[in-house]
Amino acid sequence: MSSEEAFYGLRKNGKAHGDVFTHPDVVEYMLDLSDYRAERNLSAVTVMEPSCGDGAFLIAITHRLKESALLYGFDLDQAYHKNIIAMDIDPVKIIRCVDRMKQLFPEINNPEDKIIEGDYLLTSLPPVDIVIGNPPYIRYENIPDTKFEEYKQRFSTFFYRADIYVLFYEHSLKQLKSNGKHCFICSNRWIKGYYGKKIRRLIAQNYHINYLIDMERADAFTESVHAYPSITLITNETLSGNLLYGQTSSVEQLPNICFKPLVHPVDENWNTMFPTINDVQPLPTIEEQGFRIGIGVATGADRVFISKCLKGLIEDELLIPAINAHDLKNNTLQWDERYLLNPYTANGSLINLSRYPKCQNYLEANRAKLSSRHISKNNPNKWYATIDRIKPELQHTPKILLPDMTSNEFIFVDEGKYYPLHNIYYIVGRSVKELKVLSSILMSDHVRSQLDCVTNHMNGGYARWQSQHLKKLRLPDINLITEEEMSLIIQCYDRHDIASINSIVDHIVNKQINHKEQNVHKHHIPVQQTIAFNFA
């Protein structure tokens, strides 16, 4: 196991967390954007690559430095050793990087002298003209305990559940010389998410964003990952004026992006830069209509508490049919007979294990694993508790099921059979009939266009369902939908006729917005007209 694997842990595909490499064309584009071009005299331009991996950026940088040396007549070896710094935490990757450098650039003596092994976040380095690269993507919960507290003390932007790349932004921005350029390709979640609040403020008040390029729909990496990438070019200067914003759905189109100016942010609120949902403000939110949004249970040890093998192994009264995102694929709901072990009584306290010998034997066999969790260390007497308390009544409550990440077009209503797990958001409240109507509205273009404004997208362009974004949506008021309209919607919902649903919802939205606007302006409100739809 490499040091990076030991430090960050492994992903499901067996690769290390943070181990995602950049497409070569993206690397070249970012160097162009940073004005690190071979036609310039690069003999005195200093460059830092803080997470070099196998060398995608470092090799491209050195190629350009070599071309510039031939053009301007300076010594490549001297310029490399004087101006280039690369770093990585993983010695195995550094070995591969050094081998590649030696094969490609035999005229450079000991290239390894400028490729440093270590934790960039805990290393002081000289100021540079350009910082460029692809920082590691390490979620908050995967940041090792041995580093966590030190990072907290060092980085003011380590806020809420920040990914480690936020810290890379802070540290590398502070390494820039005056007027220096900073170019990262990175997940864009810090731009819109709550945990990015402090890094957004730091950048808005101390630097200038020159370019922001949305690549959510493009394959920017050498493997398919749900990274929601964007490229940012930031300079170490405070300027008035706009930033340039662009979007692309393919790497090949990067050189041809059409940019539009956006107002530069002044604090952590960057929503003003992007399209908003103000045009539907007269309509209420989901929660204003009496619904409640939640997320499925987090256990802290899914392999122990959730399994297809629990039936017969555990007392039946402790088992709840559980549903996760994998059961909702290809616009179908197919439960895979997975159960959730509920270690709680009806009043919310933990069960007495002695009353459930099967469960006791099973949990005791997994005691070491359960006791090693953070929740158990804080309260050793409750070593078999889940992170979230399980509320059995939720199983029997009708609810809308929204997988966090899905390509599904259809949204399912569970009438009370399953308990949602942590990769599913759910909506409860009101009747099954009204939940089907709400599900239909959530499938409409009216909602999809709003989600496009506020949420991240998976590779392929699919928006994510997340509580913070669901709460912002403005929807038709279900109380104002006529019985005829409601009946038509439910008929279409039951036969999965999304196109017809969209037509009905569009009509209802326009009618309710017009109705609201007429009320505001105290105009006469006409008698509600009956509508007719002809569905094949």
Side-chain angles (χ1 to χ4, degrees):
M1 180 181 288
S2 71
S3 66
E4 186 181 62
E5 290 169 355
F7 185 59
Y8 294 144
L10 295 175
R11 291 148 56 197
K12 289 182 179 178
N13 64 5
K15 296 182 180 181
H17 283 294
D19 191 2
V20 179
F21 301 117
T22 313
H23 191 292
D25 290 347
V26 175
V27 173
E28 298 294 338
Y29 179 79
M30 290 170 63
L31 287 168
D32 287 345
L33 200 66
S34 304
D35 201 27
Y36 194 82
R37 301 171 183 268
E39 55 266 28
R40 286 183 60 199
N41 186 339
L42 300 176
S43 61
V45 180
T46 51
V47 186
M48 175 78 217
E49 212 289 65
S51 182
C52 66
D54 289 353
F57 282 91
L58 180 60
I59 288 169
I61 289 165
T62 310
H63 268 300
R64 293 188 178 209
L65 184 62
K66 179 178 179 178
E67 291 175 15
S68 180
L70 292 171
L71 183 62
Y72 288 94
F74 60 84
D75 184 88
L76 172 62
D77 182 70
Q78 288 182 8
Y80 172 85
H81 285 281
K82 178 183 176 184
N83 299 322
I84 307 301
I85 311 173
M87 194 164 185
D88 203 281
I89 200 168
D90 186 354
V92 174
K93 290 188 179 66
I94 288 178
I95 290 170
R96 291 200 293 264
C97 182
V98 169
D99 286 345
R100 295 177 70 193
M101 288 289 292
K102 287 181 175 180
Q103 291 174 15
L104 292 167
F105 307 106
E107 57 269 71
I108 296 178
N109 297 310
N110 303 317
E112 64 271 20
D113 291 349
K114 300 303 300 237
I115 306 173
I116 304 167
E117 178 192 336
D119 186 349
Y120 173 72
L121 296 177
L122 303 180
T123 305
S124 296
L125 293 162
V128 293
D129 297 302
I130 297 172
V131 175
I132 192 166
N134 173 12
Y137 306 168
I138 309 298
R139 291 182 176 179
Y140 179 89
E141 57 269 21
N142 291 325
I143 296 174
D145 294 340
T146 55
K147 303 285 187 178
F148 190 90
E149 288 305 321
E150 191 166 5
Y151 289 165
K152 277 286 186 184
Q153 292 175 12
R154 282 177 176 253
F155 298 105
S156 63
T157 60
F158 196 1
F159 172 69
Y160 189 53
R161 299 181 62 80
D163 194 296
I164 206 170
Y165 64 70
V166 169
L167 314 187
F168 270 77
Y169 263 97
E170 179 179 345
H171 195 49
S172 55
L173 283 166
K174 291 178 178 178
Q175 194 186 349
L176 289 178
K177 293 180 180 179
S178 179
N179 299 318
K181 294 182 173 65
H182 182 284
C183 193
F184 269 1
I185 181 166
C186 188
S187 167
N188 67 7
R189 295 186 68 182
W190 66 276
I191 295 172
K192 299 177 181 179
Y194 184 64
Y195 71 62
K197 176 179 177 179
K198 292 194 175 183
I199 190 64
R200 291 197 300 269
R201 174 177 282 274
L202 177 75
I203 291 171
Q205 295 186 342
N206 297 280
Y207 301 90
H208 185 79
I209 309 163
N210 295 60
Y211 291 93
L212 174 56
I213 302 166
D214 178 1
M215 296 187 69
E216 284 185 348
R217 295 172 172 83
D219 291 325
F221 304 106
T222 54
E223 62 176 294
S224 180
V225 291
H226 302 318
Y228 322 109
S230 64
I231 295 172
T232 51
L233 181 72
I234 303 168
T235 51
N236 186 16
E237 55 187 340
T238 52
L239 296 171
S240 59
N242 297 323
L243 65 88
L244 294 177
Y245 175 76
Q247 293 176 300
T248 182
S249 57
S250 72
V251 169
E252 292 73 23
Q253 291 300 314
L254 272 172
N256 303 312
I257 291 177
C258 293
F259 291 95
K260 64 179 179 181
L262 298 178
V263 176
H264 198 282
V266 296
D267 55 22
E268 70 272 11
N269 181 15
W270 291 19
N271 291 335
T272 54
M273 293 196 304
F274 302 106
T276 66
I277 57 176
N278 288 334
D279 58 328
V280 291
Q281 283 298 311
L283 301 179
T285 65
I286 292 173
E287 292 180 323
E288 288 171 351
Q289 299 192 53
F291 298 97
R292 183 171 62 83
I293 300 166
I295 188 169
V297 63
T299 68
D302 284 359
R303 292 185 179 180
V304 175
F305 288 104
I306 303 164
S307 175
K308 299 178 185 180
C309 304
L310 292 177
K311 194 73 172 174
L313 193 61
I314 304 294
E315 288 80 359
D316 282 350
E317 65 183 278
L318 300 180
L319 297 181
I320 303 174
I323 194 164
N324 65 22
H326 301 295
D327 299 326
L328 300 165
K329 284 185 176 179
N330 302 318
N331 293 312
T332 60
L333 190 164
Q334 188 169 359
W335 180 52
D336 67 355
E337 299 185 4
R338 196 176 302 262
Y339 286 90
L340 170 66
L341 193 167
N342 176 24
Y344 296 93
T345 66
N347 65 13
S349 61
L350 284 170
I351 59 171
N352 183 341
L353 289 178
S354 64
R355 297 181 180 178
Y356 300 93
K358 289 183 179 180
C359 181
Q360 183 175 28
N361 290 337
Y362 174 76
L363 291 177
E364 287 288 356
N366 290 280
R367 184 166 188 151
K369 186 182 298 182
L370 295 176
S371 297
S372 66
R373 298 173 302 154
H374 184 70
I375 185 175
S376 302
K377 290 178 180 177
N378 285 344
N379 200 334
N381 292 331
K382 297 183 178 181
W383 58 273
Y384 54 98
T386 52
I387 292 176
D388 298 331
R389 186 170 70 83
I390 296 166
K391 303 173 183 177
E393 63 273 15
L394 179 59
Q395 176 201 346
H396 304 293
T397 303
K399 52 197 160 292
I400 295 172
L401 301 173
L402 295 166
D404 176 16
M405 297 190 291
T406 181
S407 60
N408 286 343
E409 293 181 333
F410 194 80
I411 294 174
F412 288 92
V413 173
D414 166 28
E415 297 190 12
K417 295 181 179 179
Y418 308 110
Y419 202 100
L421 301 178
H422 56 79
N423 56 9
I424 290 184
Y425 290 89
Y426 63 84
I427 302 175
V428 295
R430 308 183 64 159
S431 66
V432 170
K433 178 179 176 181
E434 289 164 321
L435 287 170
K436 286 185 176 182
V437 171
L438 179 56
S439 291
S440 299
I441 293 170
L442 292 174
M443 287 187 268
S444 70
D445 290 345
H446 170 74
V447 165
R448 299 287 179 176
S449 63
Q450 293 180 62
L451 280 176
D452 283 342
C453 296
V454 297
T455 187
N456 304 105
H457 292 74
M458 298 167 55
N459 289 359
Y462 304 111
R464 295 184 69 179
W465 296 107
Q466 290 182 306
S467 177
Q468 60 183 319
H469 305 311
L470 286 166
K471 291 177 180 179
K472 295 177 182 177
L473 299 175
R474 297 281 173 170
L475 312 177
D477 189 337
I478 289 177
N479 295 318
L480 300 179
I481 297 176
T482 67
E483 284 297 324
E484 180 186 7
E485 291 165 342
M486 195 169 288
S487 177
L488 284 169
I489 290 174
I490 291 172
Q491 288 175 33
C492 295
Y493 177 87
D494 287 341
R495 62 174 183 256
H496 292 210
D497 185 353
I498 298 173
S500 296
I501 287 172
N502 200 49
S503 297
I504 304 170
V505 172
D506 186 56
H507 170 86
I508 291 169
V509 167
N510 291 329
K511 183 176 71 172
Q512 289 197 12
I513 288 177
N514 291 335
H515 183 93
K516 294 276 187 181
E517 289 175 347
Q518 288 170 349
N519 256 341
V520 169
H521 293 96
K522 298 182 179 179
H523 287 168
H524 173 68
I525 301 173
V527 176
Q528 183 169 284
Q529 297 179 345
T530 301
I531 59 169
F533 296 93
N534 182 21
F535 300 123

